[in-house]
Amino acid sequence: RGTGRGRGAGGGGAGPGALLVVCLIVFSETGLLVGFLLPGDTLLLITGLLAFYPGIGFDIWWVCLAIGFAAFLGGEVGYLMGRKAGPRIFERKESGLFSMKNVERTNAFFERFGGLAVIVARFVPIVRTFAPVAAGVGKMDYRKYTIYNLIGALIWGSGLTYGGYLLGYVPVLGDFIREYIDVILILAVLATVVPTSIHYILNMRKSRREAERVSREEAEALALAPKDFDQKLGD
């Protein structure tokens, strides 16, 4: 039963527009530095399930290929962005999820895994957003980076999508997901976006408090400076 549905080009699916949206989201995760609020892993699994029933309108292999290419292209754009803009990208002030902790976490990946970090980072939210840019800032050999980027994009983008497709073959799970696919999709997005948004807000507040503290300390230092100067003159 699953095989018949899984072959893809049936009617009633979400159509090419759905696949285009998924590809744009996957591209944005690594190509536009906005991957923090995007449900990448969950989205790929659900896309695979939609292709099984079918809800996309394309054979699963075309879906995997399109998503893998979008992930690869995003990684290339991220690398070129880092290569062109250089360290200035990572010298930005704290701004929510764009924090030095996330940058340090990404750099730690490169120190631990070397070039393979480009592949490993694909499976770590937030880090996969910074990894291509960090590789560009660090001026990793472009040919070497592109190979790692291609491998990572195919394993992550195509692999997770096909994994979601295979879930459709599990009888009980497949029927349950087909029955409640809309609810599952909404819950999956909320489960990704809500915690990340909370983390973003908390980081913004922390950054604002830190900036206010520094401003107060600078103001106090300036206020004390004339007194210190007058005391030295009196001595």
Side-chain angles (χ1 to χ4, degrees):
R1 184 175 57 177
T3 303
R5 285 196 301 258
R7 288 183 181 176
L19 181 58
L20 178 61
V21 170
V22 172
C23 289
L24 288 174
I25 291 175
V26 169
F27 169 82
S28 299
E29 272 211 291
T30 52
L32 301 179
L33 283 178
V34 294
F36 313 118
L37 300 176
L38 302 177
D41 298 332
T42 305
L43 181 65
L44 296 186
L45 290 172
I46 291 177
T47 301
L49 278 167
L50 290 175
F52 180 84
Y53 284 111
I56 294 293
F58 292 100
D59 185 89
I60 183 61
W61 299 111
W62 287 111
V63 175
C64 289
L65 182 62
I67 292 176
F69 178 74
F72 170 77
L73 189 61
E76 294 295 293
V77 171
Y79 174 91
L80 295 174
M81 185 187 303
R83 185 95 178 194
K84 183 176 181 179
R88 293 194 305 276
I89 292 181
F90 288 160
E91 290 173 357
R92 289 171 53 179
K93 295 181 179 180
E94 298 280 331
S95 56
L97 285 171
F98 198 108
S99 65
M100 290 312 299
K101 287 185 178 180
N102 291 332
V103 174
E104 290 167 0
R105 186 181 179 191
T106 303
N107 290 334
F109 258 73
F110 278 94
E111 291 177 2
R112 181 176 180 183
F113 298 104
L116 290 175
V118 177
I119 299 176
V120 178
R122 285 283 183 180
F123 297 87
V124 184
I126 295 181
V127 173
R128 67 168 160 260
T129 299
F130 283 101
V133 181
V137 171
K139 291 183 169 51
M140 178 186 292
D141 180 75
Y142 181 63
R143 186 174 300 176
K144 179 180 178 181
Y145 168 82
T146 298
I147 293 174
Y148 283 130
N149 182 36
L150 178 61
I151 295 172
L154 290 176
I155 295 176
W156 177 73
S158 301
L160 281 183
T161 303
Y162 192 71
Y165 174 81
L166 292 178
L167 288 177
Y169 284 101
V170 181
V172 177
L173 180 61
D175 292 339
F176 175 81
I177 292 174
R178 180 181 60 175
E179 184 72 21
Y180 299 102
I181 185 65
D182 294 337
V183 176
I184 292 173
L185 180 59
I186 293 172
L187 291 176
V189 173
L190 289 176
T192 303
V193 173
V194 171
T196 307
S197 300
I198 293 174
H199 183 63
Y200 177 85
I201 293 172
L202 292 177
N203 273 356
M204 285 290 290
R205 290 180 177 177
K206 181 180 178 181
S207 300
R208 191 178 296 114
R209 288 195 299 267
E210 182 67 18
E212 291 174 354
R213 183 186 65 81
V214 172
S215 297
R216 284 197 304 269
E217 291 178 353
E218 291 177 349
E220 291 173 359
L222 290 173
L224 292 173
K227 296 180 181 180
D228 295 339
F229 182 73
D230 291 342
Q231 185 176 2
K232 289 180 181 179
L233 286 179
D235 294 340

